[in-house]
Short mmCIF file of all heavy atoms in Angstrom, two decimals:
data_model
loop_
_atom_site.label_atom_id
_atom_site.label_comp_id
_atom_site.label_asym_id
_atom_site.label_seq_id
_atom_site.Cartn_x
_atom_site.Cartn_y
_atom_site.Cartn_z
N SER A 375 -7.42 26.22 -7.31
CA SER A 375 -8.17 27.48 -7.11
C SER A 375 -7.35 28.72 -7.53
O SER A 375 -7.95 29.71 -7.88
CB SER A 375 -8.55 27.63 -5.63
OG SER A 375 -7.37 27.74 -4.83
N ARG A 376 -6.02 28.55 -7.59
CA ARG A 376 -5.19 29.72 -7.98
C ARG A 376 -3.89 29.14 -8.57
O ARG A 376 -3.32 28.20 -8.02
CB ARG A 376 -4.89 30.63 -6.82
CG ARG A 376 -4.07 31.87 -7.19
CD ARG A 376 -3.99 32.84 -6.01
NE ARG A 376 -3.17 34.00 -6.46
CZ ARG A 376 -2.94 35.02 -5.66
NH1 ARG A 376 -3.45 35.06 -4.40
NH2 ARG A 376 -2.23 36.05 -6.06
N PRO A 377 -3.35 29.72 -9.67
CA PRO A 377 -2.11 29.13 -10.23
C PRO A 377 -0.96 29.34 -9.25
O PRO A 377 -0.89 30.27 -8.56
CB PRO A 377 -1.90 30.02 -11.48
CG PRO A 377 -3.24 30.58 -11.80
CD PRO A 377 -3.97 30.78 -10.47
N PRO A 378 -0.05 28.41 -9.27
CA PRO A 378 1.16 28.56 -8.46
C PRO A 378 1.93 29.76 -8.82
O PRO A 378 1.88 30.27 -9.94
CB PRO A 378 1.93 27.26 -8.76
CG PRO A 378 0.91 26.28 -9.24
CD PRO A 378 -0.10 27.12 -10.00
N SER A 379 2.71 30.26 -7.90
CA SER A 379 3.51 31.48 -8.07
C SER A 379 4.46 31.33 -9.29
O SER A 379 4.75 32.35 -9.95
CB SER A 379 4.23 31.86 -6.82
OG SER A 379 3.37 31.95 -5.70
N VAL A 380 4.95 30.15 -9.50
CA VAL A 380 5.90 29.98 -10.59
C VAL A 380 5.27 30.29 -11.98
O VAL A 380 5.99 30.63 -12.91
CB VAL A 380 6.44 28.53 -10.57
CG1 VAL A 380 5.48 27.51 -11.11
CG2 VAL A 380 7.80 28.43 -11.33
N PHE A 381 3.90 30.30 -12.06
CA PHE A 381 3.25 30.68 -13.26
C PHE A 381 3.52 32.15 -13.56
O PHE A 381 3.33 32.59 -14.72
CB PHE A 381 1.78 30.44 -13.15
CG PHE A 381 1.32 29.03 -13.38
CD1 PHE A 381 2.16 27.95 -13.16
CD2 PHE A 381 0.03 28.76 -13.84
CE1 PHE A 381 1.75 26.68 -13.34
CE2 PHE A 381 -0.38 27.46 -14.03
CZ PHE A 381 0.43 26.37 -13.82
N ASN A 382 3.84 32.92 -12.49
CA ASN A 382 4.08 34.34 -12.71
C ASN A 382 5.56 34.70 -12.78
O ASN A 382 5.95 35.84 -12.52
CB ASN A 382 3.42 35.09 -11.53
CG ASN A 382 1.93 34.96 -11.51
OD1 ASN A 382 1.30 34.90 -12.49
ND2 ASN A 382 1.36 34.80 -10.30
N MET A 383 6.35 33.66 -13.03
CA MET A 383 7.80 33.87 -13.17
C MET A 383 8.20 33.41 -14.62
O MET A 383 7.76 32.36 -15.03
CB MET A 383 8.57 33.03 -12.14
CG MET A 383 8.25 33.32 -10.69
SD MET A 383 9.06 32.09 -9.65
CE MET A 383 8.32 32.55 -8.02
N SER A 384 9.06 34.23 -15.19
CA SER A 384 9.62 33.79 -16.47
C SER A 384 10.72 32.77 -16.17
O SER A 384 11.23 32.65 -15.08
CB SER A 384 10.17 34.99 -17.24
OG SER A 384 11.30 35.51 -16.60
N VAL A 385 11.13 32.06 -17.23
CA VAL A 385 12.22 31.18 -17.05
C VAL A 385 13.52 31.88 -16.55
O VAL A 385 14.24 31.41 -15.66
CB VAL A 385 12.58 30.43 -18.40
CG1 VAL A 385 13.82 29.68 -18.30
CG2 VAL A 385 11.39 29.53 -18.83
N ALA A 386 13.77 33.06 -17.08
CA ALA A 386 14.95 33.83 -16.67
C ALA A 386 14.82 34.28 -15.21
O ALA A 386 15.79 34.25 -14.44
CB ALA A 386 15.15 35.03 -17.58
N GLN A 387 13.62 34.76 -14.87
CA GLN A 387 13.42 35.14 -13.45
C GLN A 387 13.65 34.03 -12.47
O GLN A 387 14.29 34.18 -11.44
CB GLN A 387 12.06 35.74 -13.23
CG GLN A 387 11.86 37.11 -13.83
CD GLN A 387 10.39 37.59 -13.85
OE1 GLN A 387 9.49 36.76 -13.66
NE2 GLN A 387 10.22 38.85 -14.01
#
Side-chain angles (χ1 to χ4, degrees):
S375 62
R376 183 171 179 180
S379 306
V380 76
F381 280 27
N382 298 323
M383 301 172 187
S384 69
V385 170
Q387 285 171 343

